[in-house]
Amino acid sequence: MPRKRAGTRTRSRTPTGVAAEPLPLPWVLAPEAHGPEHVAVDAEGRILTGTADGAVRRLTLSPDHELVRSEVLAHTGGRPLGLVPCPDGGLLVCDARRGLLRVGPDDGSVRVVADEVAGSPLRFCSNVATAADGTVYFTVSSRRHGLEDWLGDILENTATGQLLRLRPGGRPEVVLDGLRFANGVALAADESYVAVVESGAYRISRLWLTGRRAGTRDLLLRDLPGFPDNLTRGPDGVIWVAIAAPREPALDLLHRAPAPLRRAAVPVATRLRPRPRRTVRALAIAPDGRVVRHLVRRRTPYRMATSVCALGDLLVMGSLIERGIAICALPPPREATGAAQSLCHIPGRISVRRQGAPPSGSWGSLRSQGAGAPSWRSHMGVSATRREGAPPSGSWGSVPGVARPAGDMTQALIPSRSSSRGSGAAGAGWSASTAAPRTPPR
């Protein structure tokens, strides 16, 4: 098991001082793909994802970003989440119900690579990364809750997540235990360390694999502004992380409460059917842990973006709950100012893009902070202005023994039923304050 050096404090870098950049208006491809939780790009530049119906899909785009082909490569018989291409054209897939799987490169065959560790069945297998020598690192988000009850694990803060390693010809072994909802995983470009997301702790842990620090653990990033989810490393060595939902002070308060009280909050949240906020946020992390990009878009109906990856001049996004892959232009990088800047309030709409149709919608107006305007504090040293007269909707409901914090609980965890309309599958229905979608041009 990895060790911590006695007498040393864990050091980490925080994204303070990184200027927030507005994320351009996205459009949606392949709306038939429901719940594309993780997105990856293969050697041919095609988009890979797994969906709620158990399918592993591949999307091919034209040079002008039109959808040329959408095909199903395989059905896992479970719920595919994180995936990574193999050198031979196959895929390694983390299935939340079946464990670590491999999809054949030609016939779409599916075989189980690992479904237990130390005699215990793998529950909630989440994300995977591979090293050059064939070693596989993958995560188990929780050993207590399954995918259908992911919110229960976040609320309870069970700290039962794991990072596992599978060497060629070997058996899975636990290399990190006690993680707070283990999620995305990625190797550094030089494979000197493996990074693993702890969504429930708003941080990214790092396990050193080489050098004098080999076997030790520290933090790559901490105190993030929301719940980090999947990690994807680009060819330039930059690691992209999706922030699935903003951070919640009320949840921080609950995490300090005794375990029985945390468990009591779970049925309340389940009964109220949570609705994530309409915010998309992505961070790009340099190999040394510096945050080099901080992209934000507010008021978008594409909620809970759980993964992002760069594809040329595009940013590709997936979501656990939405239909289709969201794509937008990747803004050219700008030099860091070294000073925190205000986030832009960018109202707008999102459209389902048809072949030959440009993205619809508009940037809307950029609203800067006004004197005395209420603001939401960001944990990255920047702040966003809340619309005057529009407090966040939703509330904790009744959680015995927990004092209600100043302001209502945000929609990211336990929103009010009246804050959205529509029912059915998760992600259906928009907030009442969201503009209605426009019909895309034909």
Side-chain angles (χ1 to χ4, degrees), residues 380-391:
M380 297 175 69
V382 293
S383 61
T385 301
R386 187 173 62 196
R387 291 182 294 116
E388 185 175 358

Side-chain angles (χ1 to χ4, degrees), residues 15 28 39-40 59-60 65 99 134-135 139 155 159 169 180 201 211 234 318 345 361 378 399 427 431:
V28 171
V39 288
L59 278 61
T60 304
H65 310 152
T135 299
T139 54
L155 290 172
R180 295 170 62 181
H345 172 76
S378 166
V399 182
S431 168

Side-chain angles (χ1 to χ4, degrees), residues 128-339:
V128 60
T130 57
D133 65 356
T135 299
V136 177
Y137 293 89
F138 61 107
T139 54
V140 172
S141 292
S142 172
R143 286 179 288 133
R144 184 174 300 173
H145 296 277
L147 175 63
E148 293 76 11
D149 196 23
W150 64 267
L151 180 59
D153 196 274
I154 293 290
L155 290 172
E156 283 192 49
N157 196 23
T158 65
T160 59
Q162 296 175 319
L163 174 66
L164 279 65
R165 177 170 57 201
L166 177 61
R167 292 189 171 98
R171 299 177 64 84
E173 57 180 329
V174 178
V175 292
L176 288 179
D177 206 348
L179 302 178
R180 295 170 62 181
F181 201 88
N183 212 324
V185 59
L187 284 156
D190 62 359
E191 299 188 359
S192 59
Y193 65 80
V194 58
V196 57
V197 163
E198 292 185 76
S199 299
Y202 314 109
R203 68 192 182 196
I204 303 176
S205 292
R206 171 171 54 185
L207 175 64
W208 289 97
L209 303 176
T210 63
R212 62 182 180 82
R213 291 177 288 185
T216 64
R217 170 187 172 186
D218 63 5
L219 295 180
L220 183 67
L221 282 175
R222 66 177 179 185
D223 202 25
L224 291 172
F227 298 90
D229 207 299
N230 290 328
L231 299 179
T232 305
R233 196 190 77 213
D236 56 357
V238 170
I239 297 175
W240 286 91
V241 54
I243 306 296
R247 187 164 178 167
E248 304 303 337
L251 181 61
D252 293 340
L253 176 65
L254 182 64
H255 281 174
R256 293 193 292 270
L261 195 56
R262 299 198 302 269
R263 286 194 293 269
V266 175
V268 177
T270 303
R271 185 172 63 253
L272 293 178
R273 292 182 300 182
R275 292 284 294 154
R277 281 197 200 175
R278 293 172 289 151
T279 300
V280 172
R281 190 189 303 261
L283 303 177
I285 308 168
D288 62 358
R290 291 177 299 109
V291 175
V292 294
R293 304 294 300 272
H294 173 201
L295 304 174
V296 181
R297 184 174 183 87
R298 305 186 62 81
R299 296 183 57 78
T300 170
Y302 197 85
R303 302 171 186 250
M304 199 176 179
T306 50
S307 61
V308 295
C309 67
L311 175 58
D313 58 352
L314 295 177
L315 195 68
V316 183
M317 294 169 279
S319 169
L320 177 67
I321 63 174
E322 294 290 354
R323 292 187 177 273
I325 301 292
I327 293 179
C328 71
L330 179 60
R334 65 188 186 192
E335 292 186 5
T337 63

Side-chain angles (χ1 to χ4, degrees), residues 90-140:
L91 290 172
L92 283 176
V93 179
C94 277
D95 191 290
R97 301 188 181 101
R98 299 193 60 199
L100 182 64
L101 311 178
R102 175 176 162 80
V103 176
D106 301 318
D107 56 2
S109 60
V110 178
R111 74 176 173 86
V112 177
V113 177
D115 57 4
E116 65 174 24
V117 57
S120 299
L122 291 178
R123 175 194 289 266
F124 205 163
C125 195
S126 184
N127 260 264
V128 60
T130 57
D133 65 356
T135 299
V136 177
Y137 293 89
F138 61 107
T139 54
V140 172

Side-chain angles (χ1 to χ4, degrees), residues 12-38:
S12 68
R13 295 179 183 267
T14 60
T16 302
V18 177
E21 306 171 59
L23 192 66
L25 179 72
W27 66 93
V28 171
L29 300 176
E32 69 277 6
H34 183 203
E37 194 269 346
H38 185 231

